[in-house]
Amino acid sequence: MRVRRRSVKLAARRDNHYNVRVLQPPSQPAHQPDGSAASTADQLREKLRVRAEELESAERHIARLETQILAWKDAKRAASDAMSRKKSRRWARLRKRSQLSNPSVPASALSYQAWLARHRATPANLARMRAEERSSQHVPLVSIITPVFNTAASWLSGAVDSVRAQSYENWELILVDDESTKEETLKVLSELPRADQRIRVYKLDKNQGIAGASNRGLAEARGEWIAVLDHDDLLEPDALSCGAKTIQAHPDADLIYSDEDKLAEHGFDLPIFKPDWSPDFFLSYNYLCHFTLLRRTAVERAGSFRQGFDGAQDYDLFLRMIEKTDRIYHISRILYHWRRTATSTAHNIRRKPGALEAGKHALTEHLERTGQPGAVFVDWSTHAYRVRRDLAERPKIGIVARRRREESNADPSERISVRTDYPNYEIISSEAVETFRIGDTDFAWLLFLDSEADPIDAGWLIAMAEHVQRPEVGAVGARLSRLDGKVEHAGIVLDSDRIGLNAFRGFPVEEPGACRQLQITRNYSAVSDACLLTRREVFKEVGGFDAAVAPYSDIDFCLKLRRAGYLIVSTPYARLSCEGARRREGNPAAAKIMRERWSDWLENDPYYNQHLSREADFSLGK
């Protein structure tokens, strides 16, 4: 959903030690009504200055620690490699004597490789796709741009071969040599145009980086659609066919992306099964990444690739594109294999620390362009981003505390007052969310809270308020953990049999979860009313909670919000604990109503990939 623009006074910017823009509060007017007010303002500015310096110091310290850790990992890996070579020699002797094989592939990789073999296109599938496309009336030209710099000959040839193997035939491959010096790279580049007339090679006079090379490729491209292939990665043979099919199904599309995996020494591994377009997830990191098809005019309208963002040049481009379009579609299929080497970001983002800072820079500028005052921080435990938006206002929040168990007499007032930084709230009680009558209150925002929930961090309510103030957001959920340190609520995954399952339930709270999704802000189709914040006007707009579908009324409420066009946000930065789980079973009539009312949503949750386990744990499915 497109972010609505607001006219605001942006904070001033300055560059810190890492050339990363830091938001500063707007300058104060010279005239103050009295001396005490001026003194207070000066004190606040001094506190902000000190905190900014502390933050810069902390970032420098963390960066040093990260470098030391990587050096330690390299040393550990070198020692491990030496030990592996020693073991390999011993295994070789054993194999020679007993014909034993060395089981060097991780079990998880073997499991995924077996899954991929069952799901990838067969030769018969590819032949059928090729025949269908040859008879199609609309077969757009796809320009594949590949910047090249000193690539190993075997890897570059493999990347090109994966393009030539495409079932979709209307493509052109534009290889841009960014002043390579390796003879093996130059030799391959000189031979490729003779192998296929659809391949063109251009050489830059001087090294311009990935953005510069990509822009040269874009200038030479003739296609209606643009794709980018890294010089050492591989495409699945049906990648372009799947893209073309999506273009035909959605002729309005501007950006199309697919699932992907990693290409390691032991083969394909570490699949990334993505949700459909999730704007809040995208602001946590570039989950779109590979494989993407971009409408050429949309790329040009956004300003193409920009110098100074190498390592995050695609993230920067995508951020500018989503400011101008919401026509974004997802292909739920592994179509791209990202090579994982010891020096690539596919292995570890800190291998290229400039990429992390470039992404932060791009995200900060995105907030400025879209009129969202705030700041971007790096979560150093996950290397994902956290966007912290300024609160435009702090209206009174009505905290509707409900008893989950009849025998519970828990009063959250004291616990909330001790651990809540948000200054403007009032606690009221309700036997159930379904019996709450909004006409009895005048609160601008409403928080539905389990009376046994206990805030862990004082900033929990501000973390939720940052999102609920956004006009495109309908409801915000928190992360609740049990007393044993395991996750209870972190978002809800829809299911046609069980209506809704708690995402990541039972995971240790500090685990990253699949693709770091337990520790980042993302969108879900629903969040639990154990801690749910919404605005009064949207609550009234969709009719609030429906008692007829209890205990699924929170899921029903969120789906009504989704149908009305609102986003549902779950933030891990609002942390609370609770004693146990809310049971949703026991009301077949309510489940029947939900299946009739929301059948399409329950069968196809857009925020949970169809290839994942039905247990809502984000593991590989069947």
Side-chain angles (χ1 to χ4, degrees):
M1 187 174 188
R2 187 178 295 116
V3 176
R4 301 176 192 173
R5 300 177 182 271
R6 291 178 294 172
S7 178
V8 296
K9 182 177 181 180
L10 291 178
R13 301 181 305 187
R14 65 182 179 79
D15 289 344
N16 65 7
H17 180 71
Y18 296 100
N19 290 325
V20 178
R21 290 172 179 170
V22 178
L23 292 175
Q24 292 285 70
S27 59
Q28 301 296 321
H31 174 71
Q32 295 287 348
D34 55 62
S36 62
S39 176
T40 301
D42 289 340
Q43 291 174 1
L44 288 173
R45 282 195 292 272
E46 178 63 14
K47 287 182 179 180
L48 285 172
R49 184 190 65 78
V50 171
R51 292 301 299 273
E53 290 180 354
E54 289 176 350
L55 177 60
E56 292 171 15
S57 176
E59 289 183 340
R60 289 194 295 270
H61 176 64
I62 291 170
R64 285 195 297 269
L65 289 177
E66 291 272 324
T67 301
Q68 293 171 7
I69 290 171
L70 285 176
W72 174 79
K73 286 183 176 180
D74 287 338
K76 183 180 178 181
R77 185 177 295 106
S80 177
D81 290 345
M83 182 63 69
S84 296
R85 288 193 294 271
K86 184 177 180 180
K87 289 182 179 179
S88 295
R89 289 192 292 269
R90 185 169 72 250
W91 271 101
R93 291 193 296 271
L94 288 172
R95 283 199 304 273
K96 190 173 182 180
R97 291 197 300 266
S98 59
Q99 300 300 308
L100 292 176
S101 61
N102 184 2
S104 59
V105 182
S108 60
L110 286 173
S111 176
Y112 169 62
Q113 289 167 13
W115 181 95
L116 183 62
R118 294 194 303 271
H119 289 82
R120 69 197 314 187
T122 65
N125 297 146
L126 296 171
R128 176 182 53 77
M129 293 177 191
R130 187 174 293 111
E132 290 176 353
E133 286 148 9
R134 285 175 177 173
S135 62
S136 176
Q137 294 182 349
H138 180 59
V139 186
L141 175 64
V142 178
S143 299
I144 303 171
I145 298 173
T146 300
V148 178
F149 179 73
N150 285 343
T151 320
S154 60
W155 290 356
L156 179 57
S157 297
V160 173
D161 288 345
S162 77
V163 176
R164 298 185 66 196
Q166 292 297 303
S167 56
Y168 188 86
E169 298 173 309
N170 195 23
W171 54 263
E172 62 176 4
L173 175 60
I174 301 171
L175 299 160
V176 182
D177 178 18
D178 197 16
E179 203 182 24
S180 296
T181 55
K182 277 189 176 182
E183 290 186 6
E184 61 174 318
T185 307
L186 297 173
K187 183 174 184 296
V188 171
L189 288 173
S190 67
E191 296 170 349
L192 285 174
R194 295 194 295 271
D196 195 311
Q197 63 180 3
R198 293 171 295 181
I199 300 174
R200 306 204 306 277
V201 177
Y202 298 91
K203 182 174 179 60
L204 299 181
D205 295 333
K206 62 178 181 179
N207 184 280
Q208 296 183 25
I210 299 175
S214 298
N215 278 335
R216 173 62 187 277
L218 186 61
E220 301 293 344
R222 298 177 295 209
E224 179 184 351
W225 286 86
I226 302 296
V228 177
L229 171 66
D230 287 355
H231 57 175
D232 54 359
D233 296 345
L234 303 176
L235 293 177
E236 275 288 286
D238 61 333
L240 296 184
S241 289
C242 290
K245 186 176 181 180
T246 304
I247 293 169
Q248 291 174 356
H250 304 283
D252 65 330
D254 284 325
L255 192 159
I256 299 168
Y257 65 97
S258 77
D259 300 338
E260 62 184 290
D261 64 16
K262 301 295 193 300
L263 175 56
E265 291 182 358
H266 55 259
F268 302 131
D269 198 359
L270 303 173
I272 303 176
F273 293 109
K274 306 169 185 177
D276 289 352
W277 174 234
S278 174
D280 286 279
F281 187 177
F282 184 63
L283 297 189
S284 297
Y285 66 85
N286 179 17
Y287 84 88
L288 303 187
C289 206
H290 308 296
F291 171 59
T292 54
L293 282 166
L294 314 173
R295 188 183 293 277
R296 181 194 180 106
T297 54
V299 172
E300 293 171 342
R301 189 166 61 247
S304 303
F305 297 95
R306 291 198 297 173
Q307 298 279 8
F309 292 88
D310 278 5
Q313 71 285 338
D314 50 353
Y315 193 31
D316 173 58
L317 173 61
F318 298 159
L319 285 166
R320 286 179 282 118
M321 288 182 69
I322 67 171
E323 294 164 15
K324 299 179 181 298
T325 183
D326 58 2
R327 297 186 291 275
I328 302 168
Y329 296 93
H330 170 222
I331 303 172
S332 185
R333 188 170 179 82
I334 298 287
L335 298 179
Y336 194 100
H337 308 291
W338 188 5
R339 190 175 297 276
R340 189 173 188 257
T341 66
T343 58
S344 72
T345 54
H347 180 272
N348 188 323
I349 185 66
R350 290 308 293 182
R351 292 295 174 186
K352 294 182 179 178
L356 193 64
E357 301 302 332
K360 181 179 176 183
H361 184 184
L363 197 48
T364 300
E365 290 198 353
H366 167 72
L367 294 181
E368 295 174 353
R369 288 191 303 268
T370 54
Q372 301 181 74
V376 179
F377 297 88
V378 175
D379 183 338
W380 293 102
S381 64
T382 61
H383 296 138
Y385 303 113
R386 179 185 179 185
V387 174
R388 301 197 66 171
R389 294 173 174 84
D390 296 344
L391 289 180
E393 57 179 349
R394 301 191 181 210
K396 180 175 283 190
I397 297 177
I399 300 179
V400 184
R402 61 158 177 81
R403 290 191 301 167
R404 176 165 38 84
R405 300 179 298 172
E406 291 184 3
E407 67 274 16
S408 173
N409 292 315
D411 182 356
S413 301
E414 183 176 350
R415 299 193 307 275
I416 290 175
S417 65
V418 171
R419 298 194 190 98
T420 302
D421 284 344
Y422 191 90
N424 195 12
Y425 64 86
E426 181 179 328
I427 299 174
I428 57 178
S429 298
S430 178
E431 291 297 319
V433 294
E434 295 84 6
T435 61
F436 172 74
R437 294 190 302 176
I438 193 171
D440 294 339
T441 70
D442 60 355
F443 302 113
W445 296 350
L446 298 166
L447 176 75
F448 296 93
L449 182 69
D450 190 316
S451 63
E452 297 182 14
D454 190 4
I456 296 174
D457 300 319
W460 68 282
L461 193 48
I462 291 178
M464 299 179 77
E466 289 177 19
H467 295 288
V468 83
Q469 70 176 346
R470 296 160 53 195
E472 71 273 18
V473 172
V476 184
R479 190 180 72 187
L480 278 73
S481 57
R482 303 193 298 255
L483 299 182
D484 62 359
K486 302 294 180 62
V487 172
E488 183 58 39
H489 296 290
I492 293 175
V493 173
L494 304 180
D495 181 82
S496 57
D497 292 329
R498 292 165 286 183
I499 309 302
L501 301 172
N502 291 356
F504 294 111
R505 184 175 185 269
F507 276 55
V509 292
E510 297 305 323
E511 278 198 12
C515 302
R516 302 172 277 177
Q517 291 182 80
L518 182 52
Q519 304 298 339
I520 64 170
T521 300
R522 78 186 299 277
N523 302 108
Y524 280 93
S525 291
V527 290
S528 170
D529 62 9
C531 187
L532 183 156
L533 181 62
T534 188
R535 296 192 303 280
R536 178 189 184 89
E537 72 268 17
V538 299
F539 186 86
K540 291 178 64 177
E541 178 185 343
V542 301
F545 296 106
D546 184 354
V549 292
Y552 309 112
S553 54
D554 50 357
I555 299 175
D556 177 71
F557 171 66
C558 288
L559 290 178
K560 288 189 292 185
L561 290 171
R562 290 291 299 124
R563 184 173 59 190
Y566 294 103
L567 292 172
I568 310 298
V569 176
S570 176
T571 173
Y573 305 110
R575 293 183 275 260
L576 301 92
S577 64
C578 60
E579 290 190 9
R582 172 188 181 183
R583 295 184 60 83
R584 294 188 183 274
E585 300 81 4
N587 192 340
K592 182 175 183 294
I593 294 173
M594 289 292 290
R595 293 189 188 99
E596 293 173 349
R597 187 179 292 177
W598 304 109
S599 60
D600 290 344
W601 292 81
L602 297 179
E603 292 174 4
N604 300 286
D605 188 335
Y607 298 112
Y608 191 75
N609 193 289
Q610 64 182 8
H611 298 303
L612 296 174
S613 162
R614 293 299 93 193
E615 298 305 313
D617 58 2
F618 290 75
S619 64
L620 182 64
K622 295 180 180 180

